[in-house]
Amino acid sequence: MTLAPATERKTARRHDREIVALALPAFGALVAEPLFVMVDSAIVGHLGTPQLAGLGVAAALLTTAVNIFIFLAYATTAAVARRVGAGDLAGALRQGLDGIWLALLLGGAVIAVTLPTAPELVGLFGASGTATPHAITYLRISSLGIPAMLVVLAATGVLRGLQDTRTPLYVAIGGFIANGALNAALVYGAGLGIAGSAWGTVIAQCAMAAVYLAVVVRGARRHGATLRPDLAGIRTCAQAGVPLLVRTLALRAITLIVTVMAARLGDDEIAAHQVVLSLWTLLAFALDAIAIAGQAIIGRYLGAGDAEGARAACRRMVQWGIASGVVLGLLVIAARPLFIPLFTSDPAVRDTLLPALLVTAFIQPVSGVVFVLDGVLMGAGDGAYLAGAMIVTLAVFAPVALLVPSLGGGLTALWWTMALMMTVRLVTLWVRTRSGRWIVTGAVRG
């Protein structure tokens, strides 16, 4: 009678050790991306409200241009982890290199589109005449670093699949330090203004990509994986990423809709929204650290044919997600007097910012479960369901968010629509996870 509870506790402790070993370094690496934007926001914010508003629009566009290809990290993590579980390290690295080659091709295509159309892209947001020039400047310069950003995504996925989240942490720390130093030097020291912030980020991202490439190439040579591009492998990576691309496009549409609505409310609202969105992204990536651990662990279990191990890991990670969300929500509430002054000295922006910030704190426990379940299904390669679930979420969210300005709502009302969005995501992901239909074992998901 006592054996089952003791065995369950032992299993939970084993999962805890795995989750902590992968999630803690992943947390440090994940928060580097929003911290890049937050550093830019803090430095540019003291140039003036128009500059910060311009950064808000440009950062939303740049993040969209990069994050619609987040499948380069997520799909690669799951595929590589499955092969690791099956004991095929050479195959795992070969698949990872295919993802890196795909990243370079996609990065070049994005630059070709973004550079000539920057004014039109910024114009879609309806930003004010004072903010628009700053947004165009930042977007054009930062777009030059997009190939490096995509390589970072793909290479990070390779290392996560190999159960290595420490190397991405070290690279992220170095990149964050370089980005902060370069931004300060170029914005204020060289007097380049918002352009200096963009150049600092481009240089830091290129350096990070170079380090990642060195690590992956060394591993490939050690295990005998060829470095040459394989068109069939690249095509397979692209096809596997299509469902996650659809999911990500729907998710980015949600972020773009709420940013467009904020921009149309005025400079104070879009400036405040940029700060809240930066914090939201930071918190999301912090919670996603557990999801990243889930992708690697679930993929490995399924690759090794251990369905019950995958189920047990999923249950434990949900518990971690709830606890982490509660803690982060309380931290946001407690730290708000220290957080707000870092980004703006404008009283109107501060007054607009505070209530929206409290909404983000309220959402965190729900977000904790959402990100964990998202990671579990990604680790299982259940991309088709994730795509469909996000389309449903967008269909519920969009009409409500688009009505906010016409009904006289402000930034806080917009952020309550984000709470609605997360609730819909929770329902769709919970239904799928409970069904067990995501559990498919083997080195390659059939």
Side-chain angles (χ1 to χ4, degrees), residues 149-222:
M149 296 178 194
L150 297 188
V151 167
V152 167
L153 287 179
T156 300
V158 177
L159 295 178
R160 289 173 184 166
L162 294 170
Q163 318 293 296
D164 175 12
T165 56
R166 290 183 178 274
T167 300
L169 171 61
Y170 301 147
V171 177
I173 291 173
F176 173 71
I177 293 172
N179 180 68
L182 287 166
N183 267 260
L186 295 175
V187 171
Y188 297 118
L192 296 179
I194 196 170
S197 177
W199 280 117
T201 301
V202 169
I203 295 169
Q205 290 285 354
C206 288
M208 291 172 66
V211 174
Y212 273 121
L213 286 174
V215 172
V216 174
V217 167
R218 184 171 64 246
R221 286 174 173 166
R222 183 184 307 123

Side-chain angles (χ1 to χ4, degrees), residues 69 103-115 146-147 150:
F69 302 116
L104 288 169
L105 293 173
L106 292 173
V110 173
I111 288 180
V113 172
T114 304
L115 280 178
I146 288 176
L150 297 188

Side-chain angles (χ1 to χ4, degrees), residues 145-311:
I146 288 176
M149 296 178 194
L150 297 188
V151 167
V152 167
L153 287 179
T156 300
V158 177
L159 295 178
R160 289 173 184 166
L162 294 170
Q163 318 293 296
D164 175 12
T165 56
R166 290 183 178 274
T167 300
L169 171 61
Y170 301 147
V171 177
I173 291 173
F176 173 71
I177 293 172
N179 180 68
L182 287 166
N183 267 260
L186 295 175
V187 171
Y188 297 118
L192 296 179
I194 196 170
S197 177
W199 280 117
T201 301
V202 169
I203 295 169
Q205 290 285 354
C206 288
M208 291 172 66
V211 174
Y212 273 121
L213 286 174
V215 172
V216 174
V217 167
R218 184 171 64 246
R221 286 174 173 166
R222 183 184 307 123
H223 294 284
T226 178
L227 302 178
R228 293 191 303 273
D230 175 28
L231 292 181
I234 294 172
R235 189 181 307 113
T236 299
C237 286
Q239 292 171 345
V242 168
L244 290 181
L245 175 61
V246 172
R247 166 203 170 271
T248 303
L249 285 172
L251 185 58
R252 292 309 305 170
I254 289 170
T255 304
L256 287 172
I257 287 170
V258 76
T259 301
V260 168
M261 293 300 102
R264 291 178 179 175
L265 292 172
D267 279 3
D268 290 339
E269 284 76 8
I270 186 60
H273 172 74
Q274 170 59 22
V275 176
V276 179
L277 187 62
S278 296
L279 178 65
W280 168 267
T281 307
L282 173 63
L283 295 172
F285 277 108
L287 291 171
D288 208 26
I290 304 170
I292 295 301
Q295 290 175 33
I297 293 170
I298 294 296
R300 193 188 72 234
Y301 275 123
L302 294 178
D306 188 355
E308 184 51 42
R311 289 191 186 93

